[in-house]
Coordinates of all heavy atoms in Angstrom, one line a residue:
M1 N -28.9 -67.7 -51.1 CA -29.5 -66.5 -51.4 C -28.7 -65.7 -52.3 O -27.5 -65.7 -52.4 CB -29.6 -65.7 -50.0 CG -30.7 -64.8 -49.9 SD -31.0 -64.2 -48.3 CE -32.5 -63.4 -48.6
S2 N -29.4 -64.8 -53.2 CA -28.7 -64.0 -54.2 C -29.2 -62.6 -54.2 O -30.3 -62.4 -53.7 CB -28.7 -64.7 -55.5 OG -30.1 -64.7 -56.0
Q3 N -28.5 -61.7 -54.8 CA -28.9 -60.3 -55.0 C -28.5 -59.9 -56.4 O -27.5 -60.2 -56.9 CB -28.1 -59.5 -53.9 CG -28.3 -58.0 -54.1 CD -29.6 -57.5 -53.6 OE1 -30.3 -58.1 -52.8 NE2 -30.1 -56.5 -54.2
I4 N -29.4 -59.1 -57.0 CA -29.2 -58.5 -58.3 C -28.6 -57.1 -58.2 O -29.2 -56.3 -57.4 CB -30.5 -58.5 -59.1 CG1 -31.1 -59.8 -59.3 CG2 -30.2 -57.8 -60.5 CD1 -30.5 -60.8 -60.2
V5 N -27.5 -56.8 -58.8 CA -26.9 -55.5 -58.9 C -26.8 -55.1 -60.3 O -26.6 -55.9 -61.2 CB -25.6 -55.4 -58.1 CG1 -25.7 -55.6 -56.7 CG2 -24.6 -56.3 -58.7
N6 N -26.8 -53.8 -60.5 CA -26.6 -53.2 -61.9 C -25.2 -52.7 -62.0 O -24.8 -51.8 -61.3 CB -27.7 -52.1 -62.1 CG -27.9 -51.8 -63.5 OD1 -27.7 -52.7 -64.4 ND2 -28.3 -50.6 -63.8
V7 N -24.5 -53.2 -63.0 CA -23.1 -52.8 -63.2 C -23.1 -51.9 -64.4 O -23.6 -52.3 -65.5 CB -22.2 -54.0 -63.5 CG1 -20.8 -53.6 -63.8 CG2 -22.1 -54.9 -62.3
T8 N -22.6 -50.7 -64.3 CA -22.6 -49.7 -65.4 C -21.1 -49.2 -65.6 O -20.3 -49.2 -64.7 CB -23.5 -48.5 -65.2 OG1 -23.1 -47.8 -64.1 CG2 -24.9 -49.0 -65.1
G9 N -20.9 -48.7 -66.8 CA -19.6 -48.1 -67.0 C -19.5 -47.6 -68.5 O -20.4 -47.6 -69.2
Q10 N -18.2 -47.3 -68.9 CA -18.0 -46.8 -70.2 C -16.7 -47.3 -70.7 O -15.7 -47.4 -70.0 CB -18.0 -45.3 -70.2 CG -17.8 -44.7 -71.6 CD -18.6 -43.4 -71.8 OE1 -19.3 -43.0 -70.9 NE2 -18.4 -42.8 -72.9
V11 N -16.7 -47.7 -72.0 CA -15.4 -48.0 -72.7 C -15.4 -47.2 -74.0 O -16.3 -46.5 -74.3 CB -15.4 -49.5 -73.1 CG1 -15.4 -50.4 -71.9 CG2 -16.6 -49.9 -74.0
N12 N -14.3 -47.2 -74.6 CA -14.2 -46.5 -75.9 C -15.1 -47.1 -76.9 O -15.1 -48.3 -77.1 CB -12.7 -46.5 -76.4 CG -11.8 -45.7 -75.5 OD1 -12.2 -44.7 -75.0 ND2 -10.6 -46.2 -75.4
P13 N -15.8 -46.3 -77.7 CA -16.6 -46.8 -78.8 C -15.7 -47.7 -79.7 O -14.6 -47.3 -80.0 CB -17.2 -45.6 -79.5 CG -17.1 -44.5 -78.5 CD -15.9 -44.8 -77.6
G14 N -16.2 -48.8 -80.1 CA -15.4 -49.7 -81.0 C -14.7 -50.8 -80.2 O -14.2 -51.8 -80.8
D15 N -14.5 -50.7 -78.9 CA -13.9 -51.7 -78.1 C -14.9 -52.9 -77.9 O -16.1 -52.7 -77.9 CB -13.5 -51.2 -76.7 CG -12.3 -50.2 -76.8 OD1 -11.7 -50.1 -77.9 OD2 -12.0 -49.6 -75.8
T16 N -14.3 -54.1 -77.7 CA -15.1 -55.2 -77.4 C -15.0 -55.5 -75.9 O -13.9 -55.6 -75.4 CB -14.6 -56.5 -78.2 OG1 -14.6 -56.2 -79.6 CG2 -15.4 -57.7 -77.9
L17 N -16.1 -55.7 -75.2 CA -16.1 -55.8 -73.8 C -16.7 -57.2 -73.4 O -17.8 -57.6 -74.0 CB -16.9 -54.7 -73.1 CG -17.3 -54.9 -71.6 CD1 -16.0 -54.7 -70.8 CD2 -18.3 -53.8 -71.2
T18 N -16.1 -57.9 -72.5 CA -16.7 -59.1 -71.9 C -16.6 -59.0 -70.4 O -15.7 -58.4 -69.8 CB -15.9 -60.4 -72.4 OG1 -14.6 -60.3 -71.9 CG2 -16.0 -60.6 -73.8
L19 N -17.7 -59.5 -69.8 CA -17.8 -59.6 -68.3 C -18.0 -61.1 -68.0 O -19.0 -61.7 -68.4 CB -18.9 -58.7 -67.8 CG -19.2 -58.8 -66.3 CD1 -18.0 -58.5 -65.5 CD2 -20.4 -57.9 -66.0
N20 N -17.0 -61.7 -67.3 CA -17.0 -63.1 -67.0 C -17.3 -63.9 -68.2 O -18.1 -64.8 -68.2 CB -18.0 -63.4 -65.9 CG -17.6 -62.7 -64.6 OD1 -16.5 -62.3 -64.4 ND2 -18.5 -62.6 -63.6
N21 N -16.5 -63.6 -69.3 CA -16.6 -64.3 -70.6 C -17.9 -64.2 -71.3 O -18.2 -64.9 -72.3 CB -16.3 -65.8 -70.4 CG -14.8 -66.0 -70.0 OD1 -13.9 -65.3 -70.5 ND2 -14.6 -66.9 -69.0
E22 N -18.8 -63.2 -70.9 CA -20.0 -62.9 -71.6 C -19.9 -61.6 -72.3 O -19.5 -60.6 -71.7 CB -21.2 -62.9 -70.7 CG -22.5 -62.5 -71.4 CD -23.7 -62.4 -70.4 OE1 -23.6 -62.9 -69.2 OE2 -24.7 -61.8 -70.8
V23 N -20.1 -61.6 -73.7 CA -20.0 -60.3 -74.4 C -21.0 -59.3 -74.0 O -22.2 -59.7 -73.9 CB -20.0 -60.6 -75.9 CG1 -20.0 -59.3 -76.7 CG2 -18.9 -61.5 -76.4
I24 N -20.6 -58.1 -73.7 CA -21.5 -57.0 -73.4 C -21.4 -56.0 -74.5 O -20.3 -55.6 -75.0 CB -21.0 -56.3 -72.1 CG1 -20.8 -57.3 -70.9 CG2 -22.0 -55.1 -71.7 CD1 -22.1 -57.9 -70.5
Y25 N -22.6 -55.5 -75.0 CA -22.6 -54.6 -76.1 C -22.9 -53.2 -75.7 O -24.0 -52.9 -75.3 CB -23.7 -55.1 -77.1 CG -23.4 -56.5 -77.7 CD1 -24.0 -57.6 -77.2 CD2 -22.5 -56.6 -78.7 CE1 -23.7 -58.8 -77.7 CE2 -22.2 -57.8 -79.3 CZ -22.8 -59.0 -78.8 OH -22.5 -60.2 -79.3
P26 N -21.9 -52.4 -75.7 CA -22.0 -51.0 -75.3 C -22.8 -50.2 -76.4 O -22.9 -50.6 -77.5 CB -20.6 -50.4 -75.2 CG -19.7 -51.5 -75.5 CD -20.5 -52.7 -76.0
D27 N -23.4 -49.1 -76.0 CA -24.1 -48.3 -77.0 C -23.1 -47.5 -77.8 O -21.9 -47.7 -77.7 CB -25.1 -47.3 -76.3 CG -24.5 -46.3 -75.4 OD1 -23.3 -46.0 -75.5 OD2 -25.3 -45.7 -74.6
K28 N -23.6 -46.6 -78.7 CA -22.7 -45.9 -79.6 C -21.7 -45.0 -78.9 O -20.6 -44.7 -79.5 CB -23.5 -45.1 -80.6 CG -24.2 -46.0 -81.6 CD -25.0 -45.2 -82.6 CE -25.8 -46.1 -83.5 NZ -26.6 -45.4 -84.5
S29 N -22.0 -44.5 -77.7 CA -21.1 -43.7 -77.0 C -20.1 -44.5 -76.1 O -19.2 -43.9 -75.5 CB -21.8 -42.6 -76.2 OG -22.6 -43.3 -75.2
G30 N -20.3 -45.8 -76.0 CA -19.4 -46.7 -75.2 C -20.0 -47.0 -73.9 O -19.4 -47.8 -73.1
R31 N -21.2 -46.5 -73.5 CA -21.8 -46.8 -72.2 C -22.4 -48.3 -72.2 O -22.9 -48.7 -73.2 CB -22.9 -45.9 -71.9 CG -22.4 -44.5 -71.3 CD -23.5 -43.7 -70.7 NE -24.4 -44.3 -69.8 CZ -24.2 -44.6 -68.6 NH1 -23.0 -44.4 -68.0 NH2 -25.1 -45.2 -67.8
F32 N -22.2 -48.9 -71.1 CA -22.8 -50.3 -71.0 C -23.5 -50.4 -69.6 O -23.2 -49.7 -68.7 CB -21.7 -51.4 -71.1 CG -20.7 -51.4 -70.0 CD1 -20.9 -52.2 -68.9 CD2 -19.5 -50.7 -70.1 CE1 -19.9 -52.2 -67.9 CE2 -18.6 -50.7 -69.1 CZ -18.8 -51.5 -68.0
E33 N -24.4 -51.3 -69.6 CA -25.1 -51.6 -68.3 C -25.5 -53.1 -68.4 O -25.9 -53.7 -69.4 CB -26.4 -50.8 -68.4 CG -27.2 -50.9 -67.1 CD -28.4 -49.8 -67.1 OE1 -28.2 -48.8 -67.8 OE2 -29.4 -50.1 -66.4
K34 N -25.3 -53.8 -67.2 CA -25.6 -55.2 -67.1 C -26.0 -55.6 -65.7 O -25.4 -55.1 -64.7 CB -24.3 -56.0 -67.5 CG -24.4 -57.5 -67.4 CD -25.2 -58.1 -68.4 CE -25.2 -59.6 -68.3 NZ -26.3 -60.2 -69.1
E35 N -27.1 -56.3 -65.6 CA -27.5 -56.8 -64.3 C -26.7 -58.1 -64.0 O -26.6 -59.0 -64.8 CB -29.0 -57.1 -64.3 CG -29.9 -55.9 -64.3 CD -31.3 -56.2 -64.1 OE1 -31.7 -57.4 -64.3 OE2 -32.1 -55.3 -63.8
I36 N -26.2 -58.1 -62.8 CA -25.4 -59.3 -62.3 C -26.0 -59.9 -61.1 O -26.5 -59.1 -60.2 CB -24.0 -58.8 -61.9 CG1 -23.3 -58.2 -63.1 CG2 -23.1 -60.0 -61.4 CD1 -23.0 -59.1 -64.3
Q37 N -26.1 -61.2 -61.0 CA -26.6 -61.8 -59.8 C -25.5 -62.2 -58.9 O -24.6 -63.0 -59.3 CB -27.4 -63.1 -60.2 CG -28.1 -63.7 -59.1 CD -29.1 -64.8 -59.5 OE1 -29.5 -64.8 -60.6 NE2 -29.4 -65.7 -58.6
L38 N -25.4 -61.6 -57.7 CA -24.4 -62.0 -56.8 C -24.8 -63.1 -55.9 O -26.0 -63.2 -55.5 CB -24.1 -60.7 -55.9 CG -23.6 -59.5 -56.6 CD1 -23.4 -58.4 -55.5 CD2 -22.3 -59.8 -57.3
E39 N -24.0 -64.0 -55.7 CA -24.2 -65.1 -54.8 C -23.6 -64.8 -53.4 O -22.8 -63.9 -53.3 CB -23.6 -66.4 -55.3 CG -24.1 -66.9 -56.6 CD -25.6 -67.2 -56.6 OE1 -26.1 -67.7 -55.6 OE2 -26.2 -67.0 -57.7
S40 N -24.1 -65.4 -52.4 CA -23.6 -65.2 -51.0 C -22.1 -65.5 -51.0 O -21.7 -66.5 -51.5 CB -24.4 -66.1 -50.0 OG -23.9 -65.8 -48.7
G41 N -21.4 -64.6 -50.4 CA -19.9 -64.8 -50.3 C -19.2 -63.9 -51.3 O -19.7 -62.9 -51.7
L42 N -18.0 -64.3 -51.7 CA -17.1 -63.6 -52.6 C -17.5 -63.8 -54.1 O -17.6 -65.0 -54.5 CB -15.7 -63.9 -52.4 CG -14.6 -63.0 -53.0 CD1 -14.8 -61.6 -52.4 CD2 -13.2 -63.6 -52.7
N43 N -17.7 -62.8 -54.8 CA -18.1 -62.8 -56.2 C -16.9 -62.2 -57.0 O -16.5 -61.1 -56.7 CB -19.4 -62.1 -56.5 CG -20.5 -62.8 -55.9 OD1 -21.2 -63.6 -56.5 ND2 -20.8 -62.5 -54.6
T44 N -16.5 -62.8 -58.1 CA -15.4 -62.2 -58.9 C -16.0 -61.7 -60.2 O -16.7 -62.5 -60.9 CB -14.3 -63.2 -59.2 OG1 -13.8 -63.6 -57.9 CG2 -13.2 -62.6 -60.1
L45 N -15.7 -60.5 -60.6 CA -16.2 -59.9 -61.9 C -14.9 -59.6 -62.7 O -14.1 -58.8 -62.3 CB -16.9 -58.6 -61.7 CG -18.2 -58.6 -60.8 CD1 -18.8 -57.3 -60.6 CD2 -19.2 -59.6 -61.3
E46 N -14.8 -60.3 -63.8 CA -13.6 -60.1 -64.7 C -14.0 -59.3 -65.9 O -14.8 -59.9 -66.8 CB -13.0 -61.4 -65.1 CG -11.7 -61.2 -65.9 CD -11.1 -62.6 -66.3 OE1 -11.6 -63.1 -67.3 OE2 -10.2 -63.0 -65.6
F47 N -13.6 -58.1 -66.0 CA -13.9 -57.3 -67.2 C -12.7 -57.4 -68.2 O -11.5 -57.2 -67.7 CB -14.0 -55.8 -66.8 CG -15.2 -55.5 -65.9 CD1 -15.1 -55.6 -64.5 CD2 -16.4 -55.1 -66.4 CE1 -16.1 -55.3 -63.7 CE2 -17.5 -54.9 -65.6 CZ -17.3 -55.0 -64.2
R48 N -13.0 -57.7 -69.4 CA -11.9 -57.8 -70.4 C -12.3 -56.9 -71.6 O -13.4 -57.0 -72.2 CB -11.8 -59.2 -70.9 CG -10.5 -59.6 -71.5 CD -10.5 -61.1 -71.7 NE -10.3 -61.8 -70.5 CZ -9.2 -62.5 -70.2 NH1 -8.2 -62.5 -71.0 NH2 -9.1 -63.1 -69.0
V49 N -11.4 -55.9 -71.9 CA -11.6 -55.0 -73.0 C -10.6 -55.2 -74.1 O -9.4 -55.2 -73.8 CB -11.6 -53.5 -72.5 CG1 -11.8 -52.6 -73.7 CG2 -12.6 -53.3 -71.5
K50 N -11.1 -55.5 -75.3 CA -10.2 -55.6 -76.4 C -10.3 -54.4 -77.3 O -11.4 -54.1 -77.8 CB -10.5 -56.9 -77.2 CG -9.5 -57.2 -78.3 CD -9.6 -58.5 -78.9 CE -8.5 -58.8 -79.8 NZ -8.6 -60.2 -80.4
R51 N -9.2 -53.7 -77.4 CA -9.1 -52.4 -78.2 C -9.3 -52.7 -79.7 O -9.0 -53.8 -80.2 CB -7.8 -51.7 -77.9 CG -7.6 -51.4 -76.5 CD -8.3 -50.1 -76.1 NE -8.0 -49.8 -74.7 CZ -8.9 -49.3 -73.9 NH1 -10.1 -49.0 -74.3 NH2 -8.6 -49.0 -72.6
Y52 N -9.6 -51.7 -80.4 CA -9.8 -51.8 -81.9 C -8.5 -52.3 -82.6 O -8.6 -53.1 -83.5 CB -10.1 -50.4 -82.4 CG -10.2 -50.3 -83.9 CD1 -11.3 -50.9 -84.5 CD2 -9.3 -49.7 -84.6 CE1 -11.4 -50.8 -85.9 CE2 -9.4 -49.6 -86.0 CZ -10.5 -50.2 -86.6 OH -10.6 -50.1 -88.0
L53 N -7.3 -51.9 -82.1 CA -6.1 -52.4 -82.7 C -5.5 -53.7 -82.1 O -4.4 -54.1 -82.4 CB -5.0 -51.3 -82.7 CG -5.4 -50.0 -83.5 CD1 -4.4 -48.9 -83.2 CD2 -5.6 -50.3 -84.9
G54 N -6.3 -54.3 -81.2 CA -5.9 -55.6 -80.7 C -5.4 -55.7 -79.3 O -5.2 -56.7 -78.7
R55 N -5.0 -54.5 -78.7 CA -4.5 -54.5 -77.3 C -5.7 -54.9 -76.4 O -6.8 -54.5 -76.5 CB -4.0 -53.1 -77.0 CG -3.4 -53.1 -75.6 CD -2.8 -51.7 -75.3 NE -2.3 -51.7 -74.0 CZ -2.3 -50.6 -73.2 NH1 -2.7 -49.5 -73.7 NH2 -1.9 -50.7 -72.0
E56 N -5.4 -55.8 -75.4 CA -6.4 -56.3 -74.5 C -6.0 -55.9 -73.0 O -4.9 -55.9 -72.6 CB -6.5 -57.8 -74.6 CG -7.6 -58.4 -73.9 CD -7.8 -59.8 -74.2 OE1 -8.2 -60.2 -75.3 OE2 -7.5 -60.6 -73.3
T57 N -7.0 -55.4 -72.3 CA -6.9 -55.0 -70.9 C -7.9 -55.8 -70.0 O -9.0 -56.0 -70.4 CB -7.1 -53.5 -70.7 OG1 -6.3 -52.8 -71.5 CG2 -6.9 -53.1 -69.3
T58 N -7.4 -56.4 -68.9 CA -8.3 -57.1 -68.0 C -8.3 -56.4 -66.6 O -7.2 -56.1 -66.1 CB -7.8 -58.6 -67.8 OG1 -7.7 -59.2 -69.1 CG2 -8.7 -59.4 -66.9
V59 N -9.5 -56.3 -66.1 CA -9.6 -55.7 -64.7 C -10.5 -56.7 -63.9 O -11.6 -57.1 -64.4 CB -10.3 -54.3 -64.8 CG1 -10.6 -53.8 -63.3 CG2 -9.5 -53.3 -65.5
V60 N -10.0 -57.1 -62.8 CA -10.8 -58.1 -61.9 C -11.2 -57.3 -60.7 O -10.4 -56.7 -60.0 CB -9.9 -59.3 -61.6 CG1 -10.7 -60.2 -60.6 CG2 -9.5 -60.0 -62.8
K61 N -12.5 -57.4 -60.4 CA -13.1 -56.8 -59.2 C -13.7 -57.9 -58.4 O -14.3 -58.8 -58.9 CB -14.1 -55.8 -59.5 CG -13.6 -54.6 -60.3 CD -12.7 -53.7 -59.4 CE -12.3 -52.5 -60.2 NZ -11.4 -51.6 -59.4
Q62 N -13.6 -57.8 -57.1 CA -14.2 -58.8 -56.2 C -15.2 -58.1 -55.3 O -15.0 -57.0 -54.8 CB -13.2 -59.6 -55.4 CG -12.3 -60.4 -56.2 CD -11.4 -61.3 -55.4 OE1 -10.8 -60.9 -54.4 NE2 -11.2 -62.5 -55.8
V63 N -16.4 -58.7 -55.2 CA -17.5 -58.1 -54.5 C -18.0 -59.2 -53.4 O -18.2 -60.3 -53.8 CB -18.7 -57.8 -55.4 CG1 -19.9 -57.2 -54.6 CG2 -18.3 -56.8 -56.5
L64 N -18.0 -58.7 -52.2 CA -18.4 -59.6 -51.1 C -19.9 -59.3 -50.8 O -20.3 -58.2 -50.5 CB -17.6 -59.3 -49.8 CG -18.0 -60.2 -48.6 CD1 -17.8 -61.7 -48.9 CD2 -17.1 -59.8 -47.4
Y65 N -20.7 -60.3 -50.9 CA -22.2 -60.2 -50.6 C -22.5 -61.0 -49.4 O -22.3 -62.2 -49.4 CB -23.0 -60.6 -51.8 CG -24.5 -60.7 -51.5 CD1 -25.2 -59.5 -51.1 CD2 -25.2 -61.8 -51.7 CE1 -26.5 -59.6 -50.8 CE2 -26.5 -61.9 -51.4 CZ -27.2 -60.8 -51.0 OH -28.5 -60.8 -50.7
Q66 N -23.0 -60.3 -48.4 CA -23.4 -61.0 -47.1 C -24.9 -60.6 -46.9 O -25.2 -59.5 -46.5 CB -22.6 -60.5 -46.0 CG -21.1 -60.9 -46.1 CD -20.3 -60.3 -44.9 OE1 -20.5 -59.2 -44.4 NE2 -19.4 -61.1 -44.4
P67 N -25.8 -61.6 -47.2 CA -27.2 -61.4 -46.9 C -27.5 -61.1 -45.4 O -26.8 -61.7 -44.6 CB -27.9 -62.6 -47.4 CG -26.9 -63.6 -47.8 CD -25.5 -62.9 -47.7
Q68 N -28.5 -60.3 -45.2 CA -28.8 -60.0 -43.8 C -29.6 -61.1 -43.2 O -30.4 -61.8 -43.7 CB -29.6 -58.7 -43.7 CG -28.7 -57.6 -44.1 CD -29.4 -56.2 -43.9 OE1 -30.5 -56.2 -43.4 NE2 -28.7 -55.2 -44.3

């Protein structure tokens, strides 16, 4: 069983964003939105932001999905 959730956020305009190695294209103000399909159990979301001058930041979030 799976569940669709909407992940939204904001990065600096000009930054490159990937979510689980998939490129996400923010709008001109840096806002992004992506639908993610969660599988039953623990799901890992790895956000990677590469700054304009080359600095890279990684944030890992884990989401536990338990269907009813």
Side-chain angles (χ1 to χ4, degrees):
M1 207 169 191
S2 64
Q3 172 72 30
I4 303 286
V5 294
N6 200 25
V7 176
T8 61
Q10 182 147 356
V11 295
N12 292 326
D15 288 352
T16 302
L17 171 67
T18 60
L19 173 55
N20 294 344
N21 296 317
E22 179 183 344
V23 177
I24 306 295
Y25 297 99
D27 65 16
K28 291 180 182 180
S29 66
R31 281 192 46 78
F32 67 90
E33 187 172 331
K34 177 72 177 165
E35 286 188 345
I36 302 294
Q37 184 169 342
L38 298 178
E39 298 298 327
S40 182
L42 192 61
N43 295 266
T44 300
L45 304 177
E46 182 180 84
F47 297 88
R48 202 174 285 250
V49 178
K50 188 167 186 180
R51 303 275 182 215
Y52 177 71
L53 296 175
R55 183 172 176 216
E56 192 171 287
T57 302
T58 302
V59 175
V60 177
K61 298 289 184 180
Q62 293 187 319
V63 180
L64 180 62
Y65 171 57
Q66 294 178 319
Q68 295 184 3

